[in-house]
Amino acid sequence: MIEAQPSVERPATIYDVARVAGVSHATVTRLLKGYAGIRPDTRDRVAKAIRELGYRPNLNARSLTTGRSHRIATLTHEITQVGPNKILEGANMAARDAGYLLDVITLDVHDPAAIRESIDLASQFDLAGVLALSSTDEVTNAVETTTFRVPLYLATGTDKTPPDSTPAGNGLFAVLRHLADLGHRDVVHIAGPHDWVGARNRIREYEAAVAELGLRSRGVIHGDWSARSGYEAIASWPEELPATAFVAANDQTALGVILALNERGYRVPDDVSVTGVDDIPEAAYFSPPLTTLRLDFTAQGGDAVQQLLARIDGVAPPPLPPRRSELIVRRSTGPVRPRV
């Protein structure tokens, strides 16, 4: 007697997706590879078919068929920080949608030798390309001085010149203008680390906005993006605070600033206003809820993958779209009140 075996459902193929979506398999292939020139309604039908069928690209089969790897080595660092974490998340989604797998290699920015070893390790695998998500000078320099056998895209910020640092209504200019509209004239910036391009650019945005809006900067204090560094910046101030508003480089820093102000007897925002950057999910639940600048890190990660895929395919990379920030006003900022 032959025992009947349970049927195993056949995994969906690209042809199944094409049939359900009512398009050619070539169209599905182009969409999975990340090509942008597909009509939105077609893109929606294919995406719906992929979800309904549970389609997953077979990377091994694709590699055997095309003779090309579909793995991307992704060099990143400090993924406990909001920006790098969200950028990596966006890159992973974009790579997956295009049928590629990210091999994530996290670099230790505090150990130059370890950075070099990790980059050398990435070069040993069969890869389609290398995506370097760098925020610090150390990582950028290590990547730029390495020769890779496959296409590379280095996603890193560039140091902005003063004329580029005050886009109307964007970046920290929007934060400073909001504070100026509330009557603030004396401000302090709690900045990020010296070796982060993003921190330097925020300082430039801050200084340019202060000059353009006629404000008075009472200092720039460097921290390390942590709540602790924001707390220490205020707790260690040896005298009466010289400003009515503190502009933190990120939301975690702002959290520490608010606690230290409370402990020194200042009320936020009655006595002092505080702002952040990033709009982390917890920002709306700070005490008081935090006024902050929302950045689209996830889109930045997707943009970086599209740039690398164009290099892998040997085509002109798509222009990088401008990514604007959005000021989110909550209760940590308020009008200046006369001092008695």
Side-chain angles (χ1 to χ4, degrees):
M1 179 179 178
I2 300 175
E3 183 178 350
Q5 297 295 322
S7 62
V8 177
E9 185 177 350
R10 177 179 62 84
T13 68
I14 193 172
Y15 296 95
D16 296 323
V17 173
R19 174 178 51 79
V20 172
V23 299
S24 69
H25 74 274
T27 297
V28 178
T29 300
R30 286 195 294 272
L31 188 147
L32 291 174
K33 291 179 67 175
Y35 288 104
I38 297 176
R39 291 184 302 181
D41 61 327
T42 301
R43 183 180 296 273
D44 290 343
R45 292 204 311 276
V46 173
K48 182 180 179 182
I50 289 174
R51 289 194 302 270
E52 290 178 351
L53 296 171
Y55 171 74
R56 293 291 183 272
N58 187 325
L59 299 184
N60 289 330
R62 288 180 60 186
S63 296
L64 289 173
T65 301
T66 64
R68 189 174 81 179
S69 171
H70 286 84
R71 305 180 76 95
I72 293 172
T74 304
L75 308 173
T76 186
H77 59 95
E78 302 283 8
I79 57 174
T80 57
Q81 299 290 347
V82 173
N85 181 275
K86 290 296 184 181
I87 290 172
L88 179 61
E89 180 182 316
N92 186 52
M93 290 190 295
R96 182 185 61 212
D97 290 344
Y100 286 81
L101 178 68
L102 293 190
D103 291 317
V104 179
I105 300 174
T106 304
L107 308 178
D108 181 357
V109 296
H110 305 293
D111 188 343
I115 293 176
R116 177 58 60 190
E117 289 175 5
S118 297
I119 292 176
D120 291 342
L121 176 65
S123 302
Q124 298 175 18
F125 294 103
D126 181 21
L127 301 170
V130 174
L131 177 65
L133 304 174
S134 174
S135 300
T136 71
D137 298 335
E138 188 76 47
V139 172
T140 297
N141 180 66
V143 172
E144 289 180 334
T145 55
T146 300
T147 300
F148 294 95
R149 296 178 290 103
V150 293
L152 163 73
Y153 181 69
L154 173 59
T156 182
T158 56
D159 284 299
K160 297 179 181 178
T161 58
D164 298 328
S165 297
T166 319
N170 202 25
L172 285 188
F173 182 85
V175 173
L176 271 297
R177 184 172 61 186
H178 167 66
L179 293 171
D181 290 343
L182 292 171
H184 294 276
R185 290 296 174 266
D186 297 294
V187 294
V188 168
H189 181 40
I190 314 297
H194 291 275
D195 60 341
W196 284 62
V197 175
R200 294 196 295 265
N201 283 335
R202 288 177 196 177
I203 291 174
R204 292 188 180 94
E205 290 178 358
Y206 166 82
E207 292 175 339
V210 164
E212 183 166 329
L213 295 168
L215 306 180
R216 293 182 291 267
S217 176
R218 298 303 188 182
V220 174
I221 305 170
H222 280 276
D224 61 4
W225 305 120
S226 69
R228 175 187 52 78
S229 67
Y231 177 88
E232 291 178 349
I234 303 302
S236 62
W237 209 292
E239 54 195 26
E240 182 181 359
L241 299 182
T244 60
F246 286 82
V247 179
N250 71 339
D251 292 348
Q252 286 95 336
T253 299
L255 177 62
V257 168
I258 291 173
L259 177 60
L261 287 170
N262 289 337
E263 291 184 352
R264 292 189 62 159
Y266 293 93
R267 297 168 300 168
V268 179
D270 293 346
D271 302 318
V272 183
S273 288
V274 178
T275 66
V277 175
D278 289 341
D279 192 29
I280 62 176
E282 298 80 7
Y285 302 95
F286 282 13
S287 181
L290 184 65
T291 293
T292 186
L293 198 64
R294 179 179 295 165
L295 305 178
D296 195 349
F297 290 117
T298 304
Q300 293 178 31
D303 291 343
V305 167
Q306 295 305 326
Q307 293 292 309
L308 176 60
L309 293 181
R311 288 160 173 77
I312 292 173
D313 292 336
V315 299
L320 286 170
R323 298 296 181 187
R324 294 185 63 84
S325 54
E326 179 184 2
L327 178 65
I328 308 298
V329 177
R330 298 192 180 102
R331 299 200 301 272
S332 69
T333 52
V336 173
R337 297 189 180 184
R339 295 185 179 181
V340 294

